[in-house]
Amino acid sequence: MPTSQELIDAIEAGLGQVVRPGVSTSSEACDTYEVFVFALILEASRRAGGQVSFRNIVDRNFNGVFTFRTGPGNIYSRLHPYTYARIDFANSRPLEAHIGIYAAGVSGVRHECDVAVLRFDEAENCRRSQVHPRCSEIQLSVECKFYASELGIDLGRSFLGLVKEIHQYHRFFVTNSSSATLERLLAHHKIRWQREIIPRRSDLVNRLRASFEEVFQNYTALA
Amino acid sequence: MSPQEARNAITSLIGALRRSSLEWVVREVSIAIERGIEERGEVSFELFDDVDQPISNRRGRKTEVTITRPLTDLEELRLLLFSIRAAIVDASDIQDRALRDLQLTDAPNPVIVFRPDVPEGFEDKGYSVADAGRGHPFEMTLEGIDARRDSLEKIRHLLKNLEDLVNAD
């Protein structure tokens, strides 16, 4: 059995093979995590009967390269051919799923939505008028938190403030990590949250996907 | 594993992370260590006399309270190992799953590029997207992940062995 020091030395040697300096950063992990949750939402929409296709903001033609923002931006931004998903349902108005867009809260102040699903009509109006979507028109919004360590309570406080501004209904706090304190805070305020959303926790991933699926089911039922 | 052995392992791991350009992992763990662990407990609140001595016959009922305590050396080491697994192994699994979930029949080798959304001409004037907290442009491909897969599997295995060693007692 190797000693702990021998194992640590071997881990360090392995890190040299997988870490890309300047690329393997916290922000890269966060950006990737949003795409993972975005894909999960799309899968939920398919299970609820939706048909997913991809478009880019510049000319709507998707060429197989997904372009996403490294931070939040404007839904109407044409700086890069940012990709979004269009979700068509048989008897309901189409929806769109976006990564990292601003939305206007009830006070009129803009807020960041890591992943947001909204009606196509709202999104198209916003693109044409170059304005932010209204939070009342966001059908589903997810705050994604990828942390190597435990989450701080400040993230929960911040999310409580956010849902006060962008409505509480169908808003999710999703993380790869966990924190008993933060979970107690969110649960106390009846906020929807899910911890340990990572590929190897398929039980929790499936539970979250089912919650997303329910949102789409309600959307099509009310159409 | 003794507390001293745990402390030695913590120092070695932190050094390894810093030398591997993973300062951000050390930073996140430092914040959690500094924060401590919050726990619930029960305390009987008392009344005190004029010279700050408890009035022995006026002990109150037990009340639920919140306590913050520092992590033990073993808890700290477990947190550090959890963080390395999250930052390296889980982050890579997430990349892999995101790419595979977006894989289309007409795009069997999907490429994901990330680009900051900043005002036009932002960098031409000398500003930096990194300074503005907008992250770095980067790309992800399945080929890139496949190229690192063997090394990742090795790290996954080594971390498991180290965790077993820490949890052996």
Side-chain angles (χ1 to χ4, degrees):
Chain A
M1 183 75 179
T3 65
S4 58
Q5 190 55 52
E6 285 167 345
L7 289 169
I8 292 167
D9 290 343
I11 289 170
E12 183 171 2
L15 290 177
Q17 308 290 314
V18 296
V19 176
R20 293 163 293 163
V23 179
S24 300
T25 61
S26 164
S27 64
E28 181 201 346
C30 294
D31 291 335
T32 311
Y33 195 58
E34 291 174 8
V35 180
F36 169 61
V37 174
F38 173 77
L40 200 60
I41 288 175
L42 299 184
E43 197 187 333
S45 76
R46 285 191 194 100
R47 284 167 176 255
Q51 277 209 318
V52 176
S53 56
F54 295 99
R55 293 183 171 188
N56 81 53
I57 182 90
V58 176
D59 58 11
R60 298 188 183 211
N61 293 320
F62 177 68
N63 63 358
V65 176
F66 295 89
T67 305
F68 297 120
R69 297 174 181 85
T70 53
N74 304 322
I75 194 171
Y76 49 85
S77 168
R78 297 165 68 90
L79 186 66
H80 296 287
Y82 293 116
T83 308
Y84 60 92
R86 180 181 161 116
I87 309 167
D88 286 290
F89 293 96
N91 297 309
S92 310
R93 297 290 297 155
L95 294 172
E96 287 185 9
H98 292 258
I99 294 182
I101 56 165
Y102 290 117
V106 289
S107 68
V109 172
R110 73 173 192 185
H111 298 280
E112 305 167 14
C113 292
D114 290 338
V115 186
V117 176
L118 64 164
R119 282 197 180 90
F120 157 74
D121 308 283
E122 175 76 6
E124 189 61 22
N125 272 303
C126 291
R127 281 190 286 269
R128 286 170 190 245
S129 307
Q130 305 222 329
V131 296
H132 301 304
R134 296 162 292 174
C135 63
S136 56
E137 298 304 315
I138 304 279
Q139 307 296 317
L140 166 64
S141 168
V142 187
E143 182 82 354
C144 304
K145 294 291 177 200
F146 183 93
Y147 273 71
S149 189
E150 271 197 353
L151 303 180
I153 193 71
D154 52 320
L155 299 172
R157 277 198 295 263
S158 179
F159 190 66
L160 281 180
L162 180 67
V163 293
K164 185 104 180 146
E165 263 287 279
I166 64 165
H167 301 300
Q168 192 164 330
Y169 202 52
H170 294 162
R171 307 305 187 234
F172 294 81
F173 183 98
V174 171
T175 178
N176 69 308
S177 184
S178 63
S179 157
T181 316
L182 185 143
E183 288 160 13
R184 191 159 61 236
L185 177 78
L186 296 180
H188 179 82
H189 289 278
K190 298 183 170 49
I191 301 290
R192 299 183 80 167
W193 56 273
Q194 190 62 63
R195 65 166 172 259
E196 293 178 67
I197 295 298
I198 45 177
R200 71 184 150 89
R201 290 303 311 267
S202 55
D203 53 334
L204 300 179
V205 171
N206 290 344
R207 187 194 296 173
L208 179 65
R209 193 188 52 216
S211 298
F212 292 155
E213 201 177 324
E214 186 191 320
V215 175
F216 290 111
Q217 270 182 353
N218 287 340
Y219 174 75
T220 52
L222 291 170
Chain B
M1 182 177 271
S2 72
Q4 185 55 51
E5 285 171 325
R7 272 195 291 276
N8 292 343
I10 291 166
T11 310
S12 295
L13 280 170
I14 288 175
L17 289 171
R18 288 194 200 280
R19 286 188 293 274
S20 306
S21 306
L22 289 168
E23 285 277 351
W24 67 274
V25 179
V26 180
R27 202 161 43 244
E28 283 194 17
V29 176
S30 307
I31 292 167
I33 301 295
E34 186 276 329
R35 201 164 46 220
I37 292 182
E38 219 172 274
E39 287 178 343
R40 302 291 282 168
E42 280 193 336
V43 168
S44 296
F45 282 82
E46 300 178 81
L47 290 176
F48 297 89
D49 63 18
D50 295 344
V51 286
D52 298 351
Q53 291 303 308
I55 303 168
S56 54
N57 61 344
R58 299 288 299 277
R59 203 171 172 83
R61 278 198 305 183
K62 281 198 169 175
T63 308
E64 206 177 358
V65 291
T66 303
I67 304 158
T68 302
R69 67 163 177 85
L71 281 79
T72 65
D73 290 315
L74 273 175
E75 285 172 336
E76 200 173 315
L77 180 54
R78 285 191 190 106
L79 177 63
L80 200 50
L81 291 174
F82 168 87
S83 300
I84 296 170
R85 181 181 288 281
I88 304 299
V89 179
D90 292 345
S92 182
D93 286 349
I94 286 165
Q95 284 191 354
D96 187 61
R97 177 73 180 267
L99 277 159
R100 289 186 197 287
D101 284 354
L102 291 179
Q103 209 167 15
L104 306 166
T105 44
D106 52 344
N109 296 307
V111 176
I112 302 180
V113 303
F114 291 87
R115 297 287 179 262
D117 189 1
V118 290
E120 206 146 2
F122 185 76
E123 287 180 294
D124 299 342
K125 294 173 193 158
Y127 297 114
S128 144
V129 288
D131 290 344
R134 287 307 173 127
H136 302 272
F138 67 97
E139 297 186 10
M140 272 170 26
T141 60
L142 283 172
E143 287 85 357
I145 290 169
D146 286 340
R148 300 195 299 272
R149 196 174 302 281
D150 287 348
S151 303
L152 273 164
E153 283 310 312
K154 199 174 163 194
I155 290 179
R156 197 192 301 267
H157 182 69
L158 290 165
L159 281 171
K160 173 79 172 59
N161 284 350
L162 194 48
E163 280 163 353
D164 289 345
L165 208 59
V166 173
N167 296 325
D169 300 327

